[in-house]
Amino acid sequence: MNKINCNKCIYYYITWDKINPKGCKFFKFKSKQMPSIIVLKSSGNPCKAFIEKK
């Protein structure tokens, strides 16, 4: 299984929130960890929303 790099995803963004600095626009959440890790932990599947930035 390939590791998903959120930094290369169109939905990834950096928030102004010091506690939860990493965000996902597709799933509409912020976290301390990379969004792809949260998605994998909660669903058991790798992120299906990943679209690489051009």
Side-chain angles (χ1 to χ4, degrees):
M1 175 168 57
N2 292 340
K3 202 172 189 182
I4 293 175
N5 184 352
C6 291
N7 289 316
K8 295 182 178 180
C9 181
I10 64 169
Y11 298 116
Y12 177 72
Y13 70 103
I14 303 296
T15 73
W16 289 97
D17 187 340
K18 291 179 182 178
I19 297 170
N20 296 305
K22 298 167 173 94
C24 177
K25 292 177 185 174
F26 186 86
F27 290 111
K28 298 179 176 88
F29 73 88
K30 301 182 289 184
S31 68
K32 289 180 184 179
Q33 294 181 304
M34 280 296 193
S36 62
I37 294 171
I38 302 296
V39 170
L40 181 60
K41 285 182 179 179
S42 63
S43 71
N45 296 308
C47 181
K48 305 277 192 231
F50 177 82
I51 298 174
E52 192 168 356
K53 292 178 189 175
K54 301 278 184 215

